[in-house]
mmCIF file of all heavy atoms in Angstrom:
data_model
loop_
_atom_site.group_PDB
_atom_site.id
_atom_site.type_symbol
_atom_site.label_atom_id
_atom_site.label_comp_id
_atom_site.label_asym_id
_atom_site.label_seq_id
_atom_site.Cartn_x
_atom_site.Cartn_y
_atom_site.Cartn_z
ATOM 1 N N ASP H 100 -5.810 15.587 182.140
ATOM 2 C CA ASP H 100 -6.291 16.926 182.429
ATOM 3 C C ASP H 100 -5.244 18.093 182.468
ATOM 4 O O ASP H 100 -5.470 19.183 182.625
ATOM 5 C CB ASP H 100 -7.055 16.794 183.860
ATOM 6 C CG ASP H 100 -8.217 16.047 183.773
ATOM 7 O OD1 ASP H 100 -8.828 15.858 182.823
ATOM 8 O OD2 ASP H 100 -8.678 15.529 184.910
ATOM 9 N N GLU H 101 -3.919 17.544 182.556
ATOM 10 C CA GLU H 101 -2.939 18.513 182.581
ATOM 11 C C GLU H 101 -2.966 19.469 181.380
ATOM 12 O O GLU H 101 -2.994 19.070 180.225
ATOM 13 C CB GLU H 101 -1.567 17.791 182.707
ATOM 14 C CG GLU H 101 -1.309 17.089 184.025
ATOM 15 C CD GLU H 101 -0.062 16.458 184.237
ATOM 16 O OE1 GLU H 101 0.878 16.737 183.253
ATOM 17 O OE2 GLU H 101 0.067 15.546 185.010
ATOM 18 N N GLY H 102 -2.910 20.769 181.695
ATOM 19 C CA GLY H 102 -2.854 21.827 180.685
ATOM 20 C C GLY H 102 -4.142 22.052 180.001
ATOM 21 O O GLY H 102 -4.234 22.995 179.127
ATOM 22 N N LEU H 103 -5.279 21.442 180.347
ATOM 23 C CA LEU H 103 -6.546 21.684 179.838
ATOM 24 C C LEU H 103 -7.326 22.721 180.633
ATOM 25 O O LEU H 103 -7.048 22.838 181.839
ATOM 26 C CB LEU H 103 -7.340 20.465 179.759
ATOM 27 C CG LEU H 103 -6.977 19.360 178.871
ATOM 28 C CD1 LEU H 103 -7.802 18.099 179.105
ATOM 29 C CD2 LEU H 103 -6.766 19.737 177.487
ATOM 30 N N PRO H 104 -7.925 23.551 179.988
ATOM 31 C CA PRO H 104 -8.695 24.672 180.779
ATOM 32 C C PRO H 104 -9.796 24.018 181.735
ATOM 33 O O PRO H 104 -10.288 23.016 181.384
ATOM 34 C CB PRO H 104 -9.415 25.472 179.683
ATOM 35 C CG PRO H 104 -9.489 24.754 178.401
ATOM 36 C CD PRO H 104 -8.331 23.730 178.650
ATOM 37 N N THR H 105 -9.947 24.755 182.837
ATOM 38 C CA THR H 105 -10.967 24.274 183.830
ATOM 39 C C THR H 105 -12.318 24.989 183.597
ATOM 40 O O THR H 105 -12.269 26.008 183.021
ATOM 41 C CB THR H 105 -10.447 24.388 185.282
ATOM 42 O OG1 THR H 105 -10.346 25.858 185.397
ATOM 43 C CG2 THR H 105 -9.103 23.711 185.542
ATOM 44 N N LYS H 106 -13.205 24.443 184.402
ATOM 45 C CA LYS H 106 -14.619 25.040 184.221
ATOM 46 C C LYS H 106 -14.672 26.255 185.084
ATOM 47 O O LYS H 106 -15.716 27.041 185.014
ATOM 48 C CB LYS H 106 -15.681 24.216 184.550
ATOM 49 C CG LYS H 106 -15.809 23.066 183.607
ATOM 50 C CD LYS H 106 -16.828 22.018 184.023
ATOM 51 C CE LYS H 106 -16.905 20.902 183.002
ATOM 52 N NZ LYS H 106 -17.959 19.901 183.424
ATOM 53 N N ASP H 107 -13.650 26.734 185.865
ATOM 54 C CA ASP H 107 -13.808 27.870 186.913
ATOM 55 C C ASP H 107 -13.776 29.129 186.179
ATOM 56 O O ASP H 107 -13.277 29.436 185.207
ATOM 57 C CB ASP H 107 -12.517 27.850 187.662
ATOM 58 C CG ASP H 107 -12.427 26.650 188.650
ATOM 59 O OD1 ASP H 107 -12.884 25.490 188.178
ATOM 60 O OD2 ASP H 107 -12.086 26.666 189.716
#
Side-chain angles (χ1 to χ4, degrees):
D100 295 339
E101 289 180 14
L103 298 177
T105 61
K106 294 181 181 179
D107 296 35

